[in-house]
Amino acid sequence: MAPAKKRNVSSAKTTEQSVKTAKIDLNSKVESILESRKHANDVFDVLEFLQSEKEKDVISAVNSSSKLFCTLLERKDLFIGKLPGEEEALSGGHSAEEKYRIFMRHRYNSCVEVMLELLSHEVHSIKENALCCLMKFAAGEGQHPLEDLDWSEHYSFPRELIQAVVGRLLSKTTDNSLLISRFQEFLEMEDVRYYVMSSIRENVGKVMDKNKGAVAPIYQSNVFTLVSNISMPSQESELTNFMVKQEAKHEDWKAAKLNEHKRAFERMWLGFLKYKLPSSMYKKVLVILHDSILPHMSKPTLMIDFLTAAYEVGGAISLLALNGLFVLIHQHNLDYPDFYKKLYNLLEPSVFHVKYRARFFHLANLFLSSSHLPVYLVAAFAKRLARLALTAPPTALLIVLPFIHNLIRRHPSCRVLIHKPSTEDESLEDPYLMDEEDPAQCRALESSLWEVKTLQKHYHPDVAKAAMVINTPLSEQEDDISEVLEITAYELMERDLKQTQTKSIPLEFETASQLLKGGDVLGQHFCLN
């Protein structure tokens, strides 16, 4: 066994030495290339290491390439303008200086292509190093443009390179969430953020149109991860951190204007949300909608198509979509007459058994809090909840009953539902139409809340007690339902079991000595000793 161990140690040492040798060799080659142009062909050796199968060799080559080409960009040793082909450069009437720059520019382009390919590498550390190297190239191209800026309105920024990086981040087959989180630090720069938003919009349009609008879970997940990492400034004075500072007319640059950022942000989100999403993603978008998306849009009401589509998904997503519509109605003056009809249709028996029950009743309470709602609408909600309460579990009834009482408190005209004079010839059938989808047509005001009266005979004492409240005049103070929103059956049982007897039991003051006082016969024959 000992010789085998010895061989393993020696092989490990050999590997480590080869990595060190490769690193030293690469560094020396980069130094020699930068020192003298006669070593220009050594650039091929550096680029060859980028194709290595060893992780450390590739990372070392990435760092060496970064140092080499960033220095060449600073020195302006890369050809500027429309790049001629290599064969054309050799045969044409170019000077030795120009030929060198053309040669190096072609090597730089090859290096960028390889770096973009490395963004799809299996090893994360290689992808991360390649990404950082590409962003250094972008910064270098921004400061030392490789295109001729021959007109005054043109601003120098490496758009094509940023578009290529975004295209690789938005992979159709690989989840790049970890790499995108690394890219987030670059999104803090105003100009990078602006051009990334434009690139995302273009990329999503091309890919989804090519996919004919069909759901692409991995791709759309990558897009969402990237767009949700974009944090927008709230004031123009905050636009100070730029990767590329324009020498002239910086203030006129679109990337330096808050309104242009908002426009790009709005187009990016609308372009992404106009296509059908995976069902799990609707919830992720709707959760961040109010805080992270709507405040930064110039026309938030444009989100109505997405919210309407999200409502059709059903379940918790429908509720979150209604919440988004409610924000648009109240804060952005959206006219949406079907809002309460859609909310009414969400009231199904299943609403008492789902995970989002607490959120549902919290939001429903918020939606129905206005005292300006029409009486027929409030009566329809109260009646539907009362009917559903007949088959609801006790934990849900402790929410529903105070909820109904609060609706009647806010709208005294609904008291007709609990104080309805009856006539002899009145039919015993309930006129309320449970299957009617339109609250205006369900005839709730013609009915009564007999269901609440029925619940006064409920087997659970807390439910019966809550239903009894309706027998007395309701106080103006509303019931606080927030305390019972999260209550579970287990908590309800524990509360009943741990309940201590607070009232003292009334006892006889004087101890009885006989069964009945004043009865001679009984007193003679029976005693309580």
Side-chain angles (χ1 to χ4, degrees):
M1 294 298 291
K5 274 188 178 179
K6 198 169 183 181
R7 278 201 301 274
N8 287 341
V9 171
S10 63
S11 64
K13 281 184 179 177
T14 307
T15 306
E16 193 176 336
Q17 285 173 357
S18 66
V19 170
K20 283 183 179 177
T21 306
K23 193 171 183 180
I24 294 167
D25 191 38
L26 281 174
N27 286 335
S28 62
K29 283 185 182 296
V30 169
E31 292 296 332
S32 63
I33 294 168
L34 294 174
E35 281 176 13
S36 173
R37 292 183 176 181
K38 67 182 180 181
H39 299 294
N41 282 329
D42 287 350
V43 72
F44 289 110
D45 297 330
V46 177
L47 296 178
E48 190 178 347
F49 266 93
L50 290 172
Q51 311 284 353
S52 173
E53 293 180 1
K54 295 177 182 176
E55 178 185 343
K56 290 182 179 178
D57 284 0
V58 176
I59 292 173
S60 179
V62 168
N63 294 331
S64 298
S65 301
S66 173
K67 180 182 177 182
L68 172 64
F69 289 109
C70 283
T71 306
L72 291 174
L73 278 165
E74 285 177 21
R75 290 182 182 179
K76 298 188 176 180
D77 277 348
L78 300 180
F79 185 81
I80 297 172
K82 188 178 179 182
L83 184 64
E86 285 192 87
E87 293 181 3
E88 182 188 336
L90 291 172
S91 59
H94 295 282
S95 64
E97 178 82 16
E98 286 179 333
K99 286 179 181 179
Y100 172 78
R101 289 180 177 174
I102 291 169
F103 171 79
M104 277 303 182
R105 174 75 183 278
H106 276 286
R107 302 293 76 75
Y108 171 72
N109 289 351
S110 300
C111 180
V112 169
E113 286 176 15
V114 175
M115 292 292 178
L116 289 168
E117 287 175 11
L118 289 178
L119 291 181
S120 304
H121 202 277
E122 294 176 357
V123 181
H124 176 70
S125 57
I126 291 177
K127 292 197 282 189
E128 192 175 357
N129 277 274
L131 177 65
C132 293
C133 177
L134 285 166
M135 293 311 292
K136 284 180 184 176
F137 288 166
E141 282 192 39
Q143 297 296 332
H144 311 284
L146 294 176
E147 302 298 328
D148 278 326
L149 304 179
D150 53 356
W151 62 90
S152 59
E153 293 299 319
H154 188 84
Y155 294 97
S156 62
F157 192 86
R159 295 175 184 79
E160 292 180 4
L161 183 52
I162 293 295
Q163 283 176 350
V165 170
V166 168
R168 290 287 177 167
L169 289 175
L170 303 180
S171 170
K172 303 177 193 64
T173 54
T174 310
D175 181 6
N176 276 338
S177 54
L178 202 59
L179 189 61
I180 290 170
S181 65
R182 182 70 177 84
F183 186 65
Q184 188 177 358
E185 70 172 75
F186 301 107
L187 294 174
E188 292 174 8
M189 291 182 276
E190 325 299 348
D191 44 0
V192 174
R193 184 196 310 118
Y194 177 78
Y195 286 107
V196 164
M197 289 192 291
S198 301
S199 301
I200 292 171
R201 181 174 60 86
E202 291 175 16
N203 188 276
V204 169
K206 287 178 184 176
V207 172
M208 295 306 292
D209 287 344
K210 190 176 180 181
N211 210 31
K212 295 181 180 177
V215 174
I218 296 174
Y219 174 75
Q220 287 175 302
S221 177
N222 285 328
V223 176
F224 176 74
T225 305
L226 184 53
V227 297
S228 59
N229 272 324
I230 295 175
S231 55
M232 287 284 289
S234 55
Q235 296 178 352
E236 194 140 350
S237 58
E238 295 177 21
L239 298 174
T240 54
N241 182 19
F242 290 88
M243 185 173 78
V244 181
K245 185 76 175 176
Q246 303 297 332
E247 293 178 5
K249 295 184 179 181
H250 181 81
E251 293 77 14
D252 297 335
W253 189 25
K254 284 186 176 181
K257 293 180 179 180
L258 183 60
N259 285 337
E260 293 295 337
H261 276 258
K262 283 190 171 184
R263 189 175 286 111
F265 182 83
E266 183 177 86
R267 287 176 179 174
M268 174 188 71
W269 272 107
L270 292 174
F272 172 55
L273 297 177
K274 75 177 182 179
Y275 298 100
K276 187 179 180 182
L277 302 177
S279 55
S280 60
M281 194 170 291
Y282 279 101
K283 188 173 181 180
K284 293 178 182 177
V285 175
L286 290 165
V287 165
I288 66 169
L289 184 70
H290 315 113
D291 299 326
S292 305
I293 303 176
L294 292 181
H296 305 297
M297 295 183 73
S298 52
K299 290 183 180 178
T301 50
L302 293 173
M303 293 294 286
I304 188 170
D305 290 337
F306 165 71
L307 292 169
T308 305
Y311 173 82
E312 302 298 334
V313 175
I317 294 167
S318 297
L319 178 64
L320 289 168
L322 283 184
N323 193 21
L325 287 168
F326 186 75
V327 171
L328 292 180
I329 290 167
H330 273 257
Q331 297 180 10
H332 303 284
N333 302 318
L334 174 70
D335 184 23
Y336 195 75
D338 287 341
F339 176 81
Y340 285 100
K341 183 179 176 181
K342 289 183 180 293
L343 177 62
Y344 182 76
N345 288 318
L346 287 182
L347 291 175
E348 296 288 341
S350 60
V351 81
F352 298 125
H353 305 280
V354 290
K355 290 180 181 178
Y356 60 89
R357 182 183 70 187
R359 179 188 281 269
F360 178 88
F361 282 101
H362 169 73
L363 292 175
N365 190 45
L366 177 68
F367 300 156
L368 296 167
S369 60
S370 173
S371 58
H372 299 291
L373 294 174
V375 179
Y376 77 85
L377 184 66
V378 179
F381 276 95
K383 180 63 181 175
R384 190 172 183 89
L385 283 169
R387 182 63 62 84
L388 293 172
L390 292 174
T391 56
T395 50
L397 289 172
L398 292 177
I399 302 172
V400 171
L401 289 169
F403 193 95
I404 293 172
H405 298 158
N406 287 344
L407 288 178
I408 296 171
R409 285 187 179 100
R410 292 170 198 159
H411 304 271
S413 302
C414 288
R415 291 180 189 274
V416 68
L417 295 173
I418 52 177
H419 298 294
K420 199 172 188 70
S422 58
T423 57
E424 292 182 3
D425 58 344
E426 186 178 2
S427 64
L428 295 176
E429 290 186 9
D430 191 342
Y432 174 68
L433 303 174
M434 184 68 177
D435 296 329
E436 176 58 54
E437 293 184 355
D438 188 353
Q441 306 295 328
C442 68
R443 300 171 64 187
L445 279 172
E446 299 174 32
S447 181
S448 64
L449 295 179
W450 58 265
E451 297 90 348
V452 178
K453 191 75 175 174
T454 305
L455 290 172
Q456 292 176 2
K457 304 291 184 183
H458 198 274
Y459 71 87
H460 198 287
D462 288 353
V463 174
K465 185 179 176 181
M468 289 282 189
V469 173
I470 213 165
N471 290 346
T472 58
L474 293 172
S475 62
E476 292 184 6
Q477 183 69 32
E478 289 191 11
D479 294 329
D480 184 11
I481 64 169
S482 60
E483 296 176 0
V484 291
L485 284 176
E486 302 283 354
I487 197 166
T488 62
Y490 175 78
E491 290 170 343
L492 202 59
M493 183 67 75
E494 284 291 304
R495 190 176 72 182
D496 290 341
L497 290 173
K498 291 178 181 178
Q499 194 169 13
T500 55
Q501 188 69 39
T502 54
K503 293 180 181 179
S504 58
I505 300 170
L507 300 172
E508 182 69 34
F509 181 71
E510 294 180 2
T511 306
S513 58
Q514 57 189 34
L515 195 61
L516 292 170
K517 287 183 179 180
D520 295 336
V521 178
L522 290 173
Q524 290 173 6
H525 297 285
F526 297 96
C527 69
L528 296 177
N529 292 332

